[in-house]
Amino acid sequence: MISYLDFEKPVAALEERIAQLRSVNALHDVDVASEIGRLETKSAELLASTYASLSPWQKTQVARHPQRPHFRDYVAHAFSDFMPLGGDRLYADDLAIMGGFARLGERRVMLIGHEKGHDTKTRIAHNFGMGKPEGYRKAIRLMELASRFGLPVVTLVDTSGAFPGIEAEERGQAEAIARATEACLALRVPMVAAIVGEGGSGGAVALASANRVLMLEHAVYSVISPEGCASILWRTSERAADAAQAMKVTAQDLKRINVIDRIVKEPLGGAHRDSVAAARLLGQALAEEVDALAPKSAEQLVAAREARFLAIGG
C-alpha cells in the first residue's frame, strides 16, 4: 500500500474509488471494467499533472517519503555481487553508511552510501541515515582501497545530515567529515555521486564531492533542512515551505546553477511508486557517467574535480 502525501489526496481518492469498484466486481460479478479504466486514466493524468508542478517543499516531502528506495534497494536492483565491508579500523562499524565492492553491469566499482532503513527497527539500527565519525572514516578507508585497486567510486547520498549527538562530537565529527570531503577530492580514480533522497549539509557533501554529481528528479540537496533554515530566519519551522523556495533545494534549481551535473528521471509519481524502475534508471545513468570518466588519467580526474567545485558560485 502506498502512503499518500497531503498534496496527493485527490489522487488517493480516485485510487480508493478504483479499489472499491474492483472489490464490487470481484464479489458480485458486476461488469465495471469501463468505469475502472476511465478512473485509472484520470488518476494517471492527475498524478502526472501533480508531479509536473511540485513546489520545492512538496519535493522535499517526496524525497523523505517513507517508502522511497534506499541504499539496499539500489544495491538489489541496480548493482550485483555486492560484498559489504565494515568498520573504520579505529572505533566501530557505522551502519548509517554502508559500502563495499560491487558490479555496475560489467564494471567493478566501490559502492558507498547512506542507508536510512525501512521500519522502526532498521531505522534505529541505521541511525536514520545520519552518519557518525566512524561512518565517514569507513568511507575514507573504502575510497583509499578503491584507489589502490583502481576501481571507480560510486556514492549514493541520502541523509538529513551527519549525526549531531554529543558522542559524535566527542569522536571528532567535524574532522571526519572534512577528511572524507578531502578524500573525495584527492581520489585518483573516477568518482560519481548521486543524491537519491535528501542531501543534507556536510553529511552529504562528504560523500558527494565527486567528478560528476547526479540527482534524482525529486531529490533535494541543501546546506540545512528547510525547517532548520526557517527556525533560524523566522524563529518558526512553520515557514519551512518559504525556506525551501528560497534555498533552491531542488534538482532543477541546482542544475541551473551548476551545483549538480545531471538529473535522473524517476518513475511517474516518484521513486517510491516503483523502486525497481527507479533503481534501473539510476543504474543506467551511473554506468554512463563511469564510462565517460574511464579514459581520463588520475591527474586529469583530480584537476577536473577541483576545478568543478571551485567554479560553483563563481
Side-chain angles (χ1 to χ4, degrees), residues 141-223:
R141 183 174 75 83
L142 298 187
M143 288 183 217
E144 291 173 347
L145 192 61
S147 192
R148 191 180 312 158
F149 288 108
L151 297 178
V153 174
V154 174
T155 60
L156 306 181
V157 177
D158 187 10
T159 181
S160 58
F163 183 60
I166 292 175
E167 62 269 37
E169 296 300 324
E170 289 174 341
R171 295 197 294 273
Q173 182 71 291
E175 184 269 348
I177 290 172
R179 293 289 184 188
T181 306
E182 179 185 41
C184 291
L185 294 171
L187 265 178
R188 296 178 64 80
V189 293
M191 181 176 181
V192 180
I195 316 298
V196 297
E198 285 185 276
S201 194
V205 174
L207 296 187
S209 298
N211 290 98
R212 298 283 290 176
V213 180
L214 283 58
M215 200 165 164
L216 287 189
E217 182 182 5
H218 302 305
V220 293
Y221 190 22
S222 63
V223 70

Side-chain angles (χ1 to χ4, degrees), residues 54-63 217-218 220 250 252:
L54 294 181
S55 70
W57 178 238
Q58 288 170 333
K59 281 185 178 285
T60 303
Q61 293 174 280
V62 175
E217 182 182 5
H218 302 305
V220 293
T250 71
Q252 294 72 24

Side-chain angles (χ1 to χ4, degrees), residues 4 14 87 109 115 137 142 146 181 191 194 198 200 217 222 246 268 300 305:
Y4 292 95
L14 278 174
V109 301
E115 172 58 56
R137 291 179 179 128
L142 298 187
T181 306
M191 181 176 181
E198 285 185 276
E217 182 182 5
S222 63
L268 178 62
Q300 288 174 320
R305 203 178 296 130

Side-chain angles (χ1 to χ4, degrees), residues 66 70 115-126 128:
H70 301 307
E115 172 58 56
K116 286 185 170 180
H118 285 282
D119 52 32
T120 302
K121 183 178 180 180
T122 57
R123 284 171 185 148
I124 292 171
H126 292 285
F128 300 86

Side-chain angles (χ1 to χ4, degrees), residues 37-264:
R38 186 185 70 81
L39 290 177
E40 285 178 334
T41 300
K42 186 176 180 180
S43 175
E45 290 173 349
L46 181 58
L47 189 64
S49 64
T50 299
Y51 271 77
S53 57
L54 294 181
S55 70
W57 178 238
Q58 288 170 333
K59 281 185 178 285
T60 303
Q61 293 174 280
V62 175
R64 295 172 175 173
H65 195 285
Q67 293 168 314
R68 192 170 178 87
H70 301 307
F71 182 83
R72 288 184 179 276
D73 300 295
Y74 291 109
V75 168
H77 301 299
F79 297 86
S80 60
D81 297 336
F82 179 61
M83 181 184 293
L85 300 173
D88 65 346
R89 302 298 187 265
L90 293 169
Y91 181 79
D93 186 26
D94 179 13
L95 295 182
I97 297 177
M98 303 183 68
F101 298 113
R103 285 190 180 275
L104 178 58
E106 297 301 315
R107 309 156 195 81
R108 294 174 62 242
V109 301
M110 179 65 77
L111 177 63
I112 306 169
H114 297 95
E115 172 58 56
K116 286 185 170 180
H118 285 282
D119 52 32
T120 302
K121 183 178 180 180
T122 57
R123 284 171 185 148
I124 292 171
H126 292 285
N127 201 36
F128 300 86
M130 295 186 292
K132 298 177 181 178
E134 50 270 27
Y136 291 102
R137 291 179 179 128
K138 172 169 65 176
I140 294 169
R141 183 174 75 83
L142 298 187
M143 288 183 217
E144 291 173 347
L145 192 61
S147 192
R148 191 180 312 158
F149 288 108
L151 297 178
V153 174
V154 174
T155 60
L156 306 181
V157 177
D158 187 10
T159 181
S160 58
F163 183 60
I166 292 175
E167 62 269 37
E169 296 300 324
E170 289 174 341
R171 295 197 294 273
Q173 182 71 291
E175 184 269 348
I177 290 172
R179 293 289 184 188
T181 306
E182 179 185 41
C184 291
L185 294 171
L187 265 178
R188 296 178 64 80
V189 293
M191 181 176 181
V192 180
I195 316 298
V196 297
E198 285 185 276
S201 194
V205 174
L207 296 187
S209 298
N211 290 98
R212 298 283 290 176
V213 180
L214 283 58
M215 200 165 164
L216 287 189
E217 182 182 5
H218 302 305
V220 293
Y221 190 22
S222 63
V223 70
I224 191 172
S225 70
E227 297 94 330
C229 178
S231 295
I232 293 170
L233 292 181
W234 296 293
R235 301 292 190 268
T236 174
S237 61
E238 292 181 1
R239 294 193 63 179
D242 295 327
Q245 183 72 42
M247 290 164 63
K248 308 298 182 188
V249 299
T250 71
Q252 294 72 24
D253 285 328
L254 295 170
K255 177 68 171 64
R256 279 193 289 271
I257 57 178
N258 297 319
V259 172
I260 66 165
D261 303 294
R262 178 173 176 177
I263 298 173
V264 180

